[in-house]
Amino acid sequence: MKKAISQHEHRLTVDEVLDWMLGDQLIDPQEYAELHSFSLHWENRDRQAVEVICQYQAAEKGRLRKHFTEEKLSQWIAAKVGLPYYFIDPLKIDVVKVTTVCPKPYAERYGILPVAMDEHSVTVATSEPFLREWEADLGHMLKKKMKRVYANAQDIARYSEELYAFSKSVKGASNRPDQRSSQLTNLEQLVELGEKSDLEVNNRHIVSLVNWLFQYAFDQRASDIHLEPRRGKSNVRFRIDGVMHHVYELPSAVMDAVVSRIKTLGRMNIAEKRRPQDGRLKTLKNDNEVELRLSTMPTAFGEKMVMRIFDPEILLKNFSELGFNKKEQQLWREMSHQAHGIILVTGPTGSGKTTTLYSTLKQLATAEVNVCTVEDPIELIEPGFNQMQVQHNIGLNFAAGIRTLMRQDPDIIMVGEIRDLETAEMAVQASLTGHLVLSTLHTNDAPSAVTRMLELGVKPYLIKLTLLGVMAQRLIRTLCPKCKRKTAVDEAEWRTLVQPFKVEKPETIYRPGGCNDCRHTGYAGRVGIYEVFQNSPTIQRRIVENCDATGLQRLALQQGMRTLRLSGVEKVLTGLTSIEEVLRVAPESSIS
């Protein structure tokens, strides 16, 4: 495929782009001269027009009348050369297909990257719109129609490196012998005598795949990585902003080796595939340590692994950044700064309870305070805490852990979860002896925590004495600031959102749009909504053996408590999220 570039074709140069910008009056002559002078210091400058302009803007003395982003400049160049603009989203690229279109050196030579392929055509992103010889070459070789689209040169260079390297690693791992033995496991186990059983987990291709997987997850802001074995092919999926995204399919033999490699890094037993296992490992994200909690589960086609990513930077966020309004911050601080008592955080798995507790403890853990935790498992290693891991195999459960911590002269105790009467009673005893106890409970709303404690068997008078308050929480997706759009409010939809409460309908609200930054979902990032329930003297009188959560909720609302739904309504009114998102996440009030 090696051939000289025709004289009739040429590369797009920085000077050419600057001439267009000057002609369209996007820059003036002085800016043109300054940009031209700045570009002379760039190596390979003719292939970096967009980057040169954006870097000039970022430079200390770079001043332009108009501000240009990489995406806006790329869209403008695409229109100038008469090609559709294409934003490269690696989650939407079938790596196996596109990397077979042409070799990497050929793609780099012409500044192209195949991004999609179907039965009749191949879509190829190019940063060199005036180089077209490759069209005839590839069209003749593949017998398919070539569709050209324009993409940013930096994106093409970056993803060419990543996708071809990933494809090479997958092929290298797939070409290892003995694939069939690891494809059929557990329910479809096939024993072949006289053959080796596994791929080598220290194979360099597998190491590359695992490294790529972690870095890719960090780049995509994933909170969880799911490795899911299937017959023949296995899935890689990421959870991003609470929503699952399919990322890639790996041969099952390769997936088995990837899981074994990660189990080795997490100090798990790679020979044991019949029982669930837990582990943890640390890796780097932009030179910062990130912890991953590992969990395996035996399935019909092999071991499923889920890796939950815990970013230590979350502990640096203040309560406002987590989503607390001023009143919620005040109530939470009042409760968490008491000398003794129990504070509970409730909500389903993945609702941000751990983040709230760790952020709170981080602020409470001064040099004068002894903070001890008992967790299952330890979510994040924090130097300011004394953390203990529950180990059921040796009889170290939550109750035994609290009993041990009581002898360690603690000021504040955090219990990972109250699951049974024994743990609840130990938490109560710890609070009665002068300790502040923070823990989690699984209930739908805050007042239900009281009835849940009663169901566990805790005496009503002990709840009255020790419970300071409960906070229920959820995580809702926030609207993408770049594409959210203002619209009128439908009366019926607003009533559905706020019922049975009366909240004045605004004239306009924001709804999700869709852009490249948010992968056309309309949402980017998540924030908490909260329901803070204080155990006031009036409520204490209602805590009896057969009290109901609805009665407690009604009384708490009379005293000023805001439900999760109302907290979400506040986020809608401020333009932070949408009505649809609040309806999806926040439970409807049981008060009629």
Side-chain angles (χ1 to χ4, degrees):
M1 274 190 168
K2 284 188 178 180
K3 56 195 291 188
I5 294 174
S6 167
Q7 292 182 354
H8 301 291
E9 300 184 350
H10 69 278
R11 297 193 182 278
L12 180 64
T13 66
V14 172
D15 292 341
E16 198 167 2
V17 172
L18 294 181
D19 286 341
W20 294 344
M21 294 179 73
L22 183 63
D24 287 358
Q25 297 183 343
L26 297 179
I27 55 175
D28 59 32
Q30 182 179 349
E31 290 171 332
Y32 176 92
E34 290 172 353
L35 282 166
H36 176 76
S37 175
F38 183 78
S39 70
L40 294 176
H41 301 289
W42 283 73
E43 184 182 356
N44 200 17
R45 61 188 288 271
D46 288 346
R47 303 179 69 174
Q48 296 174 326
V50 171
E51 188 176 0
V52 165
I53 296 166
C54 291
Q55 286 294 329
Y56 176 78
Q57 288 180 145
E60 187 176 344
K61 296 182 180 180
R63 296 290 183 269
L64 296 175
R65 289 180 299 112
K66 296 182 179 180
H67 181 77
F68 302 100
T69 64
E70 286 191 3
E71 185 173 2
K72 290 292 185 184
L73 273 173
S74 298
Q75 289 174 342
W76 176 76
I77 293 174
K80 204 72 178 172
V81 298
L83 290 177
Y85 171 70
Y86 188 91
F87 177 81
I88 301 175
D89 184 350
L91 289 182
K92 296 178 180 177
I93 293 178
D94 188 330
V95 182
V96 170
K97 281 186 177 181
V98 302
T99 53
T100 58
V101 170
C102 63
K104 182 184 175 186
Y106 186 85
E108 289 179 336
R109 177 176 178 78
Y110 286 98
I112 61 175
L113 175 66
V115 291
M117 182 165 65
D118 57 30
E119 188 177 351
H120 305 291
S121 65
V122 179
T123 303
V124 180
T126 178
S127 59
E128 297 292 353
F130 303 126
L131 300 184
R132 303 194 59 172
E133 286 191 32
W134 58 266
E135 281 187 82
D137 290 345
L138 297 182
H140 178 73
M141 184 177 66
L142 299 172
K143 309 298 183 188
K144 293 177 185 284
K145 180 183 177 183
M146 294 291 118
K147 293 182 180 178
R148 292 194 310 148
V149 293
Y150 182 82
N152 185 0
Q154 285 70 48
D155 287 345
I156 288 179
R158 172 192 171 187
Y159 290 117
S160 290
E161 190 67 35
E162 290 184 7
L163 298 181
Y164 276 101
F166 180 74
S167 179
K168 180 181 178 182
S169 295
V170 172
K171 288 176 183 176
S174 300
N175 289 333
R176 300 287 297 176
D178 313 321
Q179 292 183 40
R180 289 182 298 165
S181 59
S182 58
Q183 287 177 353
L184 299 173
T185 55
N186 291 335
L187 295 185
E188 296 189 339
Q189 184 78 29
L190 175 65
V191 177
E192 298 188 16
L193 299 177
E195 294 191 10
K196 293 181 181 180
S197 60
D198 279 320
L199 293 171
E200 296 178 18
V201 298
N202 61 347
N203 184 288
R204 63 185 178 87
H205 296 298
I206 300 301
V207 172
S208 297
L209 283 178
V210 172
N211 292 343
W212 174 88
L213 186 67
F214 289 157
Q215 191 57 53
Y216 195 27
F218 300 153
D219 290 344
Q220 303 303 318
R221 299 183 297 104
S223 61
D224 301 84
I225 305 170
H226 290 243
L227 307 181
E228 302 170 327
R230 298 289 187 266
R231 183 188 284 112
K233 293 284 187 180
S234 297
N235 295 332
V236 178
R237 295 200 292 170
F238 292 166
R239 186 178 295 278
I240 303 171
D241 292 336
V243 178
M244 295 291 286
H245 293 263
H246 183 271
V247 176
Y248 198 73
E249 283 187 351
L250 288 173
S252 291
V254 176
M255 178 67 83
D256 189 59
V258 167
V259 170
S260 294
R261 166 68 180 168
I262 296 171
K263 287 172 70 175
T264 301
L265 294 174
R267 299 178 184 177
M268 301 162 73
N269 183 355
I270 63 170
E272 180 56 77
K273 301 184 179 183
R274 300 166 300 169
R275 293 189 303 175
Q277 293 187 64
D278 293 313
R280 67 188 318 117
L281 63 87
K282 275 189 176 184
T283 185
L284 291 177
K285 169 190 172 185
N286 301 327
D287 297 327
N288 295 319
E289 286 189 353
V290 175
E291 292 197 28
L292 290 90
R293 194 179 76 195
L294 317 178
S295 174
T296 64
M297 178 184 78
T299 70
F301 301 107
E303 279 188 293
K304 178 182 187 297
M305 173 173 277
V306 176
M307 291 168 275
R308 174 156 288 186
I309 301 169
F310 291 98
D311 191 344
E313 291 180 6
I314 196 72
L315 297 182
L316 302 177
K317 290 188 176 182
N318 57 41
F319 289 132
S320 295
E321 292 172 314
L322 294 177
F324 284 75
N325 64 26
K326 289 183 178 180
K327 184 178 180 182
E328 290 161 350
Q329 287 186 55
Q330 179 187 351
L331 292 174
W332 186 246
R333 283 200 173 96
E334 286 177 6
M335 290 192 294
S336 60
H337 282 78
Q338 297 296 316
H340 56 83
I342 298 176
I343 302 172
L344 298 174
V345 180
T346 75
T349 301
S351 60
K353 300 187 299 296
T354 299
T355 297
T356 298
L357 286 176
Y358 271 75
S359 299
T360 303
L361 291 176
K362 180 80 172 177
Q363 296 189 28
L364 296 175
T366 62
E368 296 80 21
V369 174
N370 178 18
V371 176
C372 299
T373 75
V374 52
E375 305 170 62
D376 182 23
I378 295 174
E379 306 276 18
L380 283 171
I381 303 297
E382 171 52 46
F385 311 159
N386 300 293
Q387 297 169 280
M388 176 170 29
Q389 169 87 43
V390 164
Q391 299 184 61
H392 295 284
N393 58 329
I394 60 172
L396 179 56
N397 55 20
F398 278 118
I402 300 172
R403 194 176 293 113
T404 299
L405 293 184
M406 293 282 285
R407 305 188 191 102
Q408 293 290 314
D409 187 31
D411 297 295
I412 300 170
I413 297 173
M414 195 270 274
V415 183
E417 184 183 349
I418 294 179
R419 300 174 181 170
D420 49 45
L421 176 59
E422 187 181 14
T423 304
E425 287 180 336
M426 288 305 303
V428 167
Q429 289 302 316
S431 67
L432 288 173
T433 51
H435 305 92
L436 180 65
V437 180
L438 292 86
S439 188
T440 68
L441 206 61
H442 287 284
T443 61
N444 287 329
D445 55 43
S448 296
V450 174
T451 54
R452 176 67 180 141
M453 294 282 281
L454 290 170
E455 289 169 1
L456 288 175
V458 181
K459 300 299 181 184
Y461 75 91
L462 290 175
I463 298 176
K464 293 179 185 180
L465 284 172
T466 59
L467 186 65
L468 294 171
V470 184
M471 183 171 72
Q473 69 176 79
R474 299 287 191 279
L475 290 177
I476 58 172
R477 292 181 295 170
T478 53
L479 291 167
C480 175
K482 291 192 175 180
C483 65
K484 65 180 181 180
R485 51 192 175 84
K486 188 178 289 189
T487 62
V489 186
D490 179 73
E491 181 68 38
E493 188 181 33
W494 185 256
R495 283 201 305 270
T496 301
L497 176 69
V498 302
Q499 66 180 354
F501 309 101
K502 293 182 179 180
V503 180
E504 185 178 350
K505 180 174 73 73
E507 291 185 7
T508 58
I509 57 168
Y510 285 94
R511 293 192 187 277
C515 67
N516 293 326
D517 280 20
C518 63
R519 295 189 182 83
H520 297 277
T521 62
Y523 299 94
R526 291 191 292 175
V527 73
I529 55 174
Y530 304 94
E531 176 180 290
V532 185
F533 169 84
Q534 281 189 303
N535 190 15
S536 66
T538 307
I539 288 174
Q540 289 174 8
R541 290 193 288 270
R542 296 288 294 272
I543 300 178
V544 294
E545 198 69 46
N546 296 315
C547 72
D548 68 295
T550 303
L552 290 175
Q553 185 186 46
R554 186 177 285 111
L555 186 57
L557 288 170
Q558 291 172 4
Q559 296 185 347
M561 184 187 82
R562 293 165 59 86
T563 65
L564 285 165
R565 179 66 68 86
L566 287 176
S567 179
V569 169
E570 182 184 21
K571 300 290 192 294
V572 172
L573 292 172
T574 57
L576 201 59
T577 192
S578 67
I579 290 178
E580 298 91 336
E581 181 67 5
V582 175
L583 290 173
R584 183 183 73 87
V585 173
E588 186 178 353
S589 175
S590 58
I591 303 294
S592 58

